[in-house]
Amino acid sequence: MRRILVMALLFVPLLWATWGWQTIAPDSDRSLVRIDSLTENVPDADRAALGPFELQRLWRLTSSNRRFGGYSALVLMPSGQFLAASDRNSWLRFPPPIEAGTQALPTGQRLVRRSRNGQQEHFDVESLVRDPADGALWVGLENDPRVARIDKHGRRASLYMVQALRDWPENGAAEAMARLPDGRWIMLCETCGGGRGGLHLGLVFAGHPGASAPQKFGIVLPSGFDPVDMVTLPDGRLLILTRAFNLFPPRFASGIVIADIAQLNPKRPLATQELARIEGAAMRENYEGMAIHPEAGGQMAVWLISDANASALQETRLMHLRLNLAKLPQR
């Protein structure tokens, strides 16, 4: 009897998700997404671990649409909306601010589209960067030595071979990618170098990836943490989102570090400084996407999105942080 009761309790939320509200038809360009606020559950100790970042809001997002979830990249578009892309090549758009409730949000089945021999190629999206020079969207791919460029109208995708990525592990790829203010591009490998002593490998390009031979370099992150996304700050430094996974007990931890790319020297690893740690029970998840946009008063909004890996034990979470740029360490 007790076992039946436990199973019934487990299935009640699933029944609500299935019958409590309906998803718009799969061939539509919108999906119903339920948004629950988790901000009030975050204790002061977890907030204090964020360092110069101040927690604004934390949400859980759920949808019964099969396209939803798995988000591993995030970018702010000219429309003011965020674009999140998944490891299944699907996408979600949403405008800030986010409010609790149920919203019909734009979704799509394929961000990068290309037909080969009459079949649609599969792409696992890991990073997104918008080029301010021409509005094009650059896409880093898992298990693929190419990067994709989508024109600003979203009508055409071109693929560019990056020969150096052939030497990276299949699950390394362009996990984190950013454009620097001087027009250079940078990539970080998630698994290259084995993370021994925090060492990871990166590539820096004089221009667009695939258009010039990259320069290899090393970068040191907190031990046990891998890079999963990065963005460029107004002063040219990099914010890098990192992630660690502990097997016993199974749980994720995330961090945000800063790196001064002006100190890049191929002869020695680039140093980083950790700014924040996200590992308290109320906040932790598998955060893989990060995007920023300026706010009034010299502050910066930092948004994180998590990849739930289609697991019943994980959630799609969206976090809004506020960074006071004056509180960053001096260069």
Side-chain angles (χ1 to χ4, degrees):
M1 182 66 182
R2 179 178 297 176
R3 183 178 179 183
I4 295 175
L5 179 60
V6 170
M7 293 185 66
L9 291 174
L10 289 173
F11 276 108
V12 165
L14 297 178
L15 293 173
W16 166 255
T18 304
W19 298 328
W21 48 289
Q22 294 297 314
T23 303
I24 296 176
D27 59 355
S28 172
D29 62 351
R30 287 180 177 267
S31 299
L32 288 180
V33 178
R34 182 177 176 183
I35 303 170
D36 296 302
S37 175
L38 305 177
T39 314
E40 58 277 5
N41 299 334
V42 181
D44 291 342
D46 290 359
R47 296 171 187 259
L50 296 174
F53 300 88
E54 180 184 355
L55 177 66
Q56 300 300 297
R57 297 292 298 273
L58 176 65
W59 301 273
R60 176 176 57 238
L61 279 59
T62 54
S63 175
S64 59
N65 191 320
R66 63 179 180 272
R67 297 176 184 167
F68 183 85
Y71 301 113
S72 51
L74 187 67
V75 68
L76 181 66
M77 301 299 286
S79 64
Q81 291 188 326
F82 286 102
L83 173 68
S86 81
D87 48 20
R88 297 190 301 274
N89 197 25
S90 60
W91 56 266
L92 167 76
R93 288 203 320 268
F94 60 90
I98 292 290
E99 300 295 339
T102 299
Q103 298 184 28
L105 298 178
T107 55
Q109 188 171 359
R110 292 185 181 91
L111 179 66
V112 182
R113 298 180 297 276
R114 185 187 183 190
S115 179
R116 174 177 290 184
N117 300 325
Q119 300 292 325
Q120 286 287 338
E121 277 194 274
H122 171 74
F123 295 100
D124 179 343
V125 175
E126 291 295 336
S127 54
L128 292 175
V129 181
R130 181 180 169 272
D131 189 346
D134 60 7
L137 192 66
W138 287 77
V139 187
L141 306 171
E142 181 98 342
N143 301 325
D144 199 316
R146 301 170 296 179
V147 292
R149 176 189 179 275
I150 304 174
D151 67 34
K152 66 178 181 180
H153 303 293
R155 298 171 185 164
R156 179 179 176 81
S158 304
L159 293 168
Y160 295 85
M161 177 64 66
V162 181
Q163 292 293 343
L165 294 182
R166 292 184 177 275
D167 298 328
W168 287 12
E170 286 190 357
N171 63 341
E175 184 77 21
M177 180 168 63
R179 181 190 186 275
L180 302 175
D182 60 9
R184 290 181 296 166
W185 287 68
I186 185 170
M187 290 180 183
L188 297 181
C189 178
E190 180 184 9
T191 56
C192 297
R196 291 183 296 272
L199 178 65
H200 286 77
L201 301 183
L203 301 172
V204 61
F205 301 81
H208 292 128
S212 61
Q215 182 181 64
K216 299 178 181 179
F217 69 94
I219 185 170
V220 178
L221 301 175
S223 182
F225 284 77
D226 300 318
V228 290
D229 206 356
M230 63 181 168
V231 294
T232 306
L233 291 170
D235 66 5
R237 287 185 289 180
L238 294 169
L239 279 186
I240 304 172
L241 176 64
T242 65
R243 176 192 59 196
F245 179 71
N246 298 302
L247 191 58
F248 300 108
R251 67 183 186 277
F252 288 97
S254 302
I256 301 177
V257 307
I258 191 169
D260 189 354
I261 197 67
Q263 303 299 318
L264 180 63
N265 184 339
K267 296 181 180 180
R268 60 175 181 269
L270 181 66
T272 63
Q273 181 175 346
E274 188 171 59
L275 302 176
R277 187 66 67 89
I278 306 169
E279 57 185 352
M283 297 180 66
R284 63 180 177 233
E285 247 303 343
N286 180 30
Y287 297 101
E288 288 199 30
M290 177 169 63
I292 62 173
H293 69 81
E295 291 186 336
Q299 300 189 98
M300 185 70 64
V302 180
W303 293 72
L304 307 179
I305 196 166
S306 70
D307 176 1
N309 291 312
S311 169
L313 302 178
Q314 293 179 242
E315 297 178 340
T316 299
R317 292 193 175 188
L318 184 65
M319 185 185 299
H320 175 198
L321 303 170
R322 178 170 292 156
L323 170 62
N324 187 335
L325 296 176
K327 293 184 177 181
L328 288 177
Q330 295 297 312
R331 304 188 74 164

